[in-house]
Amino acid sequence: MRDVKSIVAVTRSINHCAGRLTIAAPFVRVSLMNLFRRVALTAMVLFAAGDASAATTCTLVIDAATNATLIRVGDRCDERLTPASTFKIPLGLIGFDSGILIDADRPAWPYKQEYQTWNDAWKQTTTPQTWLRDSVVWYSQALTRTLGAARFQEYIDKLAYANRDLSGEPGRNDGLTTAWLSSSLRISATEQVEFVRRIIRRQLPVSRAAIDRTMALMPVAVTGGWRVSGKTGTGFVRRANGTNDPDRQVGWFVGWATRERRTVVFARLLEDERPERVNAGLRARDALLGDWAALMTPP
């Protein structure tokens, strides 16, 4: 991202200078170091998240082993928004645990004209692996239809996922196939990382095989020596009257990263303030990956 390296360099310089302060009380020196680093880190994350078009954002990173918060920047981390395609993470667990999904290649479901997808790349036979890789919406909907409304709600309750609301839009009876698509199901960045941490810790009431298979199929990137696994999601900002604003996207990148024996869990959220051509979830992913090495460099 623009000037991130410069901001990181300033951060390190501030840390170095703060460490050399000759203040009699050690706790004062430590407090100043922490303050300087937090100010510089906040500036870096907010700047890297984008320009004024994505002014409201959250970057949250926690330690998977200890649950310690490593980075928390932004004032919207506890606000619930649509999970959009990050919902494929719990949906993968549900699919494998229920037996509807079998492995990376099965079931291979053919595209049907009735799905009426807007994305030509999705108009082909899709497997669990390509479903997660290409974020194919109709495959998610075919999975939930196969599951059925009652079992779907049972799983969401059992997983204690988000606000658990699968009702969909009022009066439309469409929750089975659209609750997670800028509709009734809502989740915060704080809840996202808590849920993913429970996956990593094998603390969810689904089979170990379901967890292992879902994790193995999650898209992966490598940066700064870290293996980063995660799912993007793009939806729309909800207006005060309950309708969606098509000119303002919500973008997620949620997952975990591993380096040697250490694993951290992350969520990057951005909310656009004006129309943008590029998918917000992809922008959230690319921004976080671009920031990752700097974010995870100790002071």
Side-chain angles (χ1 to χ4, degrees):
M1 301 302 294
R2 298 173 301 168
D3 296 333
V4 169
K5 291 183 179 179
S6 300
I7 298 172
V8 172
V10 171
T11 303
R12 291 175 177 168
S13 296
I14 290 172
N15 286 336
H16 179 70
C17 292
R20 293 173 62 94
L21 289 175
T22 56
I23 298 176
F27 73 90
V28 175
R29 182 170 62 252
V30 172
S31 296
L32 281 171
M33 289 174 66
N34 289 338
L35 175 62
F36 288 152
R37 183 170 185 267
R38 176 55 60 186
V39 169
L41 180 60
T42 299
M44 181 186 76
V45 172
L46 291 177
F47 188 86
D51 55 24
S53 67
T56 53
T57 185
C58 170
T59 299
L60 186 56
V61 182
I62 67 171
D63 188 283
T66 66
N67 202 32
T69 299
L70 306 176
I71 298 169
R72 184 184 177 96
V73 179
D75 61 357
R76 308 291 279 275
C77 293
D78 292 323
E79 179 183 357
R80 282 174 164 171
L81 299 153
T82 176
S85 283
T86 66
F87 185 63
K88 290 182 176 67
I89 299 174
L91 199 51
L93 298 173
I94 293 169
F96 282 116
D97 189 70
S98 66
I100 296 172
L101 302 184
I102 301 170
D103 55 31
D105 301 315
R106 297 177 294 169
W109 286 335
Y111 174 75
K112 299 178 181 179
Q113 286 299 121
E114 66 195 61
Y115 296 153
Q116 298 182 344
T117 183
W118 56 269
N119 190 332
D120 288 340
W122 295 346
K123 296 178 180 180
Q124 58 184 313
T125 297
T126 299
T127 66
Q129 184 170 49
T130 56
W131 165 55
L132 288 172
R133 185 194 68 195
D134 300 334
S135 203
V136 181
V137 173
W138 69 257
Y139 196 95
S140 300
Q141 295 170 324
L143 197 164
T144 57
R145 287 191 187 99
T146 304
L147 191 67
R151 292 183 73 196
F152 190 20
Q153 186 67 65
E154 179 183 338
Y155 265 111
I156 293 302
D157 289 339
K158 184 166 68 171
L159 294 174
Y161 182 81
N163 66 349
R164 310 188 192 190
D165 187 350
L166 298 179
S167 61
E169 293 300 308
R172 294 186 184 178
N173 192 33
D174 60 359
L176 181 62
T177 56
T178 66
W180 63 94
L181 300 173
S182 301
S183 187
S184 58
L185 194 63
R186 317 288 282 178
I187 192 168
S188 68
T190 300
E191 291 170 322
Q192 291 269 32
V193 296
E194 289 174 351
F195 185 79
V196 173
R197 180 175 184 263
R198 290 166 63 207
I199 296 175
I200 302 297
R201 304 285 293 175
R202 306 307 199 271
Q203 294 174 339
L204 291 171
V206 294
S207 70
R208 188 179 185 89
I211 292 175
D212 291 344
R213 289 169 183 167
T214 300
M215 291 180 67
L217 293 181
M218 207 57 56
V220 174
V222 177
T223 181
W226 290 82
R227 179 182 171 88
V228 182
S229 301
K231 187 70 193 72
T232 59
T234 301
F236 297 104
V237 173
R238 200 79 157 174
R239 298 188 183 102
N241 65 3
T243 62
N244 293 318
D245 186 345
D247 291 329
R248 296 178 60 204
Q249 297 183 60
V250 172
W252 288 105
F253 184 44
V254 175
W256 64 93
T258 301
R259 182 177 182 179
E260 297 175 352
R261 296 185 178 181
R262 187 186 187 192
T263 299
V264 299
V265 178
F266 63 82
R268 165 64 68 87
L269 166 69
L270 65 84
E271 296 179 66
D272 288 336
E273 297 295 340
R274 66 188 183 208
E276 290 290 331
R277 295 181 61 184
V278 179
N279 178 295
L282 299 183
R283 284 184 281 123
R285 180 197 65 191
D286 294 347
L288 186 65
L289 291 176
D291 297 345
W292 191 257
L295 290 172
M296 299 310 295
T297 299

